[in-house]
Amino acid sequence: MEFNLPNYMGTDRALRMAAALNEYNLSDGDDVNIKASMKWVRPFGMLVSANALRNFRKRFPNNSFCLTYKPSSNGVSYAGHMGFFKSFSDSIAVGNAPGEAPGSENYIPITKFNLRQLHIDNIIAGIWGDIGDTIERKSGELSTILCRDNKELHYLMTYLIREILRNIPEHADASDAWICGQYWSNHTAEIAILDTGIGIKRSLQKNAIHRKYVVDDLSALECAVKAGISQAFNPARGNKNDDVWSNSGYGLFMVSEICKKLNGSFCIASGNSYLYIYSDGRIKVGDTHIDGTAIKMGFSTQQLHSGKEIIAEIASLGEAQARTIQNAFQQASTPSKGLITGA
């Protein structure tokens, strides 16, 4: 079998590739030749494609896999430097391992880390607090790589990364996170985060209240990006909780709306569906296959003024929306309204 990686490894093509690989079946003894001559790759495309290839190899452990690549291709060279090839097979002798590249003011290489282990390491080092505090600190470190000494950009990027990362232990029943980011010369940025947890549908369906309208992966995604929809919703309690890190279901709404406001885009993929929100509010849906959840945050920094003001404005819009939704938290939690530790 011969499989060609997309020449333009952006959002749509990577999602379609993930769906296609999930449909392939191999017989014992079938060799697989993965061909790479990519001309153009993006962070989200790399994370989704690598995840699909890892899962494909796990499904067929008795089959032989090899990589044929075009070393002169700019896309191959860039992907190798970012850790793409070794993120789906550490035996491939192309480029860096995940997290090996140092990163710069232009990029965060493909990096994997365990959030619960980070929290344990912090406690051992005498840095106390909740796992939410650990995640916010880590988000601040990651943002520093790309923020270009811009305090407003650092604040907003820390918030965006933190809101996605804290969903992983809270809702995905997972600890491992993959991240990749790029800042381009046209003042746009893309941050991609992927986990291999239980996915959006299974998470929301843990709450019996949501099961009547969360019936498949797409309906789960459509609910998840609305303000106040959370696995943790309890109509008897509301979101009155002394825990500052208590969940209120505003994270994905906040992140998607911030990306729109900054003339960017937001994509969330989980299970067999994806939902892509453009800067003008248009929504595209389609088929894919992600064991877990993958998220893309794209935005322009040219319209960025005050991160705190943007977050406050969108939180207010979210609370107004939530008042029109049954079974939604009507008030955003403290973290959803800004950073806690001031990272």
Side-chain angles (χ1 to χ4, degrees):
M1 169 193 166
E2 189 171 273
F3 185 84
N4 291 289
L5 296 180
N7 280 340
Y8 296 91
M9 195 178 281
T11 302
D12 292 308
R13 295 189 184 188
L15 290 167
R16 289 199 298 270
M17 178 191 132
L21 279 178
N22 188 56
E23 295 296 321
Y24 271 109
N25 282 308
L26 300 176
S27 301
D28 286 345
D30 284 350
D31 294 331
V32 181
N33 181 20
I34 301 169
K35 299 187 71 174
S37 58
M38 300 102 75
K39 299 177 181 178
W40 180 84
V41 295
R42 293 264 182 161
F44 182 80
M46 287 192 290
L47 287 193
V48 168
S49 298
N51 183 64
L53 289 164
R54 282 195 301 273
N55 290 338
F56 189 52
R57 294 183 65 235
K58 287 178 184 176
R59 285 173 56 208
F60 303 104
N62 298 321
N63 294 79
S64 174
F65 289 78
C66 69
L67 175 74
T68 303
Y69 64 98
K70 187 177 180 181
S72 61
S73 166
N74 288 336
V76 170
S77 176
Y78 172 79
H81 180 76
M82 295 290 276
F84 169 70
F85 298 103
K86 290 184 179 293
S87 69
F88 64 85
S89 175
D90 56 13
S91 64
I92 294 177
V94 181
N96 295 311
E100 183 178 356
S104 72
E105 64 177 9
N106 293 322
Y107 73 93
I108 300 171
I110 293 174
T111 306
K112 180 184 180 183
F113 47 87
N114 185 291
L115 295 169
R116 296 196 186 280
Q117 187 59 52
L118 283 176
H119 187 49
I120 292 170
D121 292 343
N122 276 5
I123 293 173
I124 292 173
I127 305 172
W128 300 95
D130 190 271
I131 190 170
D133 300 305
T134 297
I135 290 171
E136 186 163 294
R137 281 191 290 269
K138 182 63 176 179
S139 301
E141 292 173 11
L142 292 166
S143 299
T144 299
I145 300 172
L146 285 182
C147 76
R148 313 174 80 82
D149 295 323
N150 182 323
K151 291 183 179 180
E152 292 300 334
L153 180 58
H154 182 263
Y155 186 94
L156 194 65
M157 289 180 69
T158 299
Y159 175 87
L160 293 171
I161 294 171
R162 185 207 65 189
E163 285 299 282
I164 301 305
L165 289 182
R166 75 186 185 103
N167 278 341
I168 297 175
E170 286 182 6
H171 299 305
D173 288 354
S175 296
D176 287 338
W178 292 85
I179 189 168
C180 184
Q182 180 70 51
Y183 188 101
W184 287 281
S185 58
N186 64 353
H187 306 291
T188 62
E190 178 178 314
I191 301 169
I193 296 175
L194 180 145
D195 71 70
T196 54
I198 63 174
I200 302 294
K201 182 182 76 172
R202 287 178 59 194
S203 176
L204 286 176
Q205 286 183 340
K206 280 187 172 184
N207 189 327
I209 291 171
H210 298 317
R211 288 177 199 156
K212 61 184 177 182
Y213 43 83
V214 176
V215 296
D216 54 25
D217 291 309
L218 181 56
S219 59
L221 296 178
E222 290 171 338
C223 286
V225 295
K226 294 179 180 178
I229 301 294
S230 170
Q231 168 199 316
F233 180 78
N234 182 333
R237 178 180 63 81
N239 57 344
K240 296 178 181 178
N241 195 317
D242 293 334
D243 179 8
V244 70
W245 290 105
S246 61
N247 186 275
S248 63
Y250 279 72
L252 292 174
F253 169 83
M254 294 292 299
V255 171
S256 62
E257 290 295 319
I258 288 171
C259 291
K260 281 168 54 180
K261 185 172 182 64
L262 294 180
N263 198 33
S265 61
F266 173 86
C267 184
I268 179 168
S270 185
N272 294 316
S273 296
Y274 72 86
L275 186 152
Y276 199 163
I277 304 175
Y278 296 88
S279 59
D280 60 4
R282 287 181 300 119
I283 296 176
K284 177 182 178 180
V285 300
D287 298 330
T288 189
H289 184 79
I290 307 287
D291 290 328
T293 303
I295 288 174
K296 170 191 140 177
M297 300 172 279
F299 54 91
S300 169
T301 63
Q302 290 182 308
Q303 298 182 32
L304 176 60
H305 48 281
S306 169
K308 292 181 180 179
E309 288 181 10
I310 291 171
I311 291 168
E313 175 190 337
I314 293 175
S316 179
L317 289 173
E319 290 175 339
Q321 182 190 99
R323 288 193 288 271
T324 70
I325 303 173
Q326 188 178 15
N327 300 328
F329 287 123
Q330 295 185 10
Q331 184 177 350
S333 65
T334 300
S336 291
K337 292 183 176 181
L339 299 182
I340 302 298
T341 63

